[in-house]
Amino acid sequence: GSEMCIRDRKAKKAATLLTKNEPLILKNSVVIHKTAKPALIKTAQLYRYCIPFSEPMCFGDNTITEREGFIVALVFDDDSMGYGEAAPLKGFSRESLFECEQQLHCGLKQLVDKGFTTISPSAALFALDCAINKTPFQFKTTSTDNTPLLLGDTSTIIKKYQALNCPNKVKLKVGRNSIAEDIKRINALLNINNTLTLQLDANRAWSVEEAMKFSISTDKHAINYIEEPCHSLSESLQFSQITGI
């Protein structure tokens, strides 16, 4: 897996190499592989990675110190390649890492043996779908967005912000503490820099009512966006329609 430029601290492949030429048609998926001539899989590999965080992150009731996931790598008969990634998050995703691995094993075996997979919609199916449709995938990325993510309690975030010479754009996680604490934190930053633009991520923490309470008590003109503010997509869309955020 070194050629893929992915850190694999456990130094293990999650699956053995599978080889067989079979017509590739993905069924029971949102996207069907559409070509005049069906593609053939020459090889299929599954890699597991584990990347430690520079500091712990909280998602709901879970605190994680590393991110684990899988990379699917397919080589087709024309030597083109397709990649997909599956990285379910504990306390956030429907399936566990173990369940995802089992689904990927099953899905890859079905693709190689039968040319299609019947696994249900999941992070695993997303990874296979990306690989089959050769979704653009970069192993080495250079971020064009240098917006800092500030983590910690309010006093820690203020110190980090000031240590960065008070930039005009920052990212914050919200919804991990009380709404009152989130509002206090944001207002403290805006008191330091009233031209500050905020990129917020709530990780589906709020109901529509809670999200509304938050937006009413903050300067919405300072908010660039809130990523996944509410429990469901429909609630997030409802919140956006009401507030314009």
Side-chain angles (χ1 to χ4, degrees):
S2 59
E3 72 278 12
M4 299 178 67
C5 301
I6 294 175
R7 295 178 62 183
D8 185 357
R9 200 174 67 181
K10 294 184 177 178
K12 292 181 179 179
K13 288 183 181 178
T16 56
L17 181 65
L18 301 173
T19 60
K20 190 175 181 181
N21 287 342
E22 292 289 347
L24 176 59
I25 302 173
L26 181 65
K27 298 182 179 179
N28 296 335
S29 172
V30 175
V31 180
I32 303 297
H33 187 63
K34 298 177 180 178
T35 57
K37 179 183 178 182
L40 299 176
I41 301 176
K42 287 174 62 177
T43 64
Q45 290 179 286
L46 181 61
Y47 299 84
R48 180 169 179 169
Y49 65 83
C50 180
I51 303 174
F53 288 161
S54 58
E55 57 184 285
M57 297 188 70
C58 298
F59 292 89
D61 296 328
N62 298 290
T63 299
I64 60 176
T65 59
E66 58 191 15
R67 193 67 193 269
E68 294 183 89
F70 304 93
I71 298 293
V72 173
L74 301 179
V75 179
F76 301 94
D77 62 340
D78 60 358
D79 290 327
S80 63
M81 301 186 72
Y83 299 97
E85 180 183 18
L89 188 60
K90 183 179 179 181
F92 187 73
S93 302
R94 289 180 299 177
E95 66 267 43
S96 67
L97 197 70
F98 174 77
E99 290 170 333
C100 181
E101 182 177 7
Q102 297 303 304
Q103 289 177 328
L104 286 168
H105 276 287
C106 177
L108 283 173
K109 189 175 189 308
Q110 287 180 335
L111 286 175
V112 171
D113 291 343
K114 302 177 182 179
F116 65 89
T117 179
T118 58
I119 66 173
S120 59
S122 58
L125 183 59
F126 172 79
L128 295 175
D129 205 29
C130 288
I132 289 166
N133 288 285
K134 303 178 186 178
T135 302
F137 189 97
Q138 289 182 295
F139 295 112
K140 290 185 177 180
T141 59
T142 301
S143 176
T144 57
D145 184 3
N146 295 318
T147 305
L149 171 63
L150 303 180
L151 300 171
D153 57 26
T154 299
S155 61
T156 300
I157 285 176
I158 295 300
K159 289 177 182 177
K160 288 181 178 180
Y161 180 66
Q162 292 173 327
L164 293 170
N165 296 319
C166 304
N168 286 325
K169 185 188 294 184
V170 296
K171 297 177 182 177
L172 291 175
K173 294 288 186 179
V174 292
R176 299 178 177 186
N177 307 107
S178 66
I179 293 175
E181 182 64 25
D182 285 332
I183 293 169
K184 175 183 175 183
R185 181 173 303 152
I186 287 172
N187 288 339
L189 288 169
L190 292 174
N191 285 336
I192 297 172
N193 180 0
N194 60 12
T195 64
L196 178 63
T197 297
L198 300 163
Q199 297 177 349
L200 308 178
D201 184 0
N203 288 121
R204 306 180 193 177
W206 296 325
S207 64
V208 175
E209 293 74 19
E210 290 170 328
M212 288 295 301
K213 180 179 178 181
F214 170 81
S215 66
I216 290 171
S217 302
T218 54
D219 180 4
K220 72 175 186 178
H221 298 293
I223 300 174
N224 185 198
Y225 61 79
I226 305 178
E227 184 178 348
E228 295 187 315
C230 301
H231 302 318
S232 67
L233 175 59
S234 61
E235 289 176 310
S236 292
L237 291 173
Q238 181 183 351
F239 166 72
S240 180
Q241 290 170 351
I242 294 171
T243 63
I245 298 175

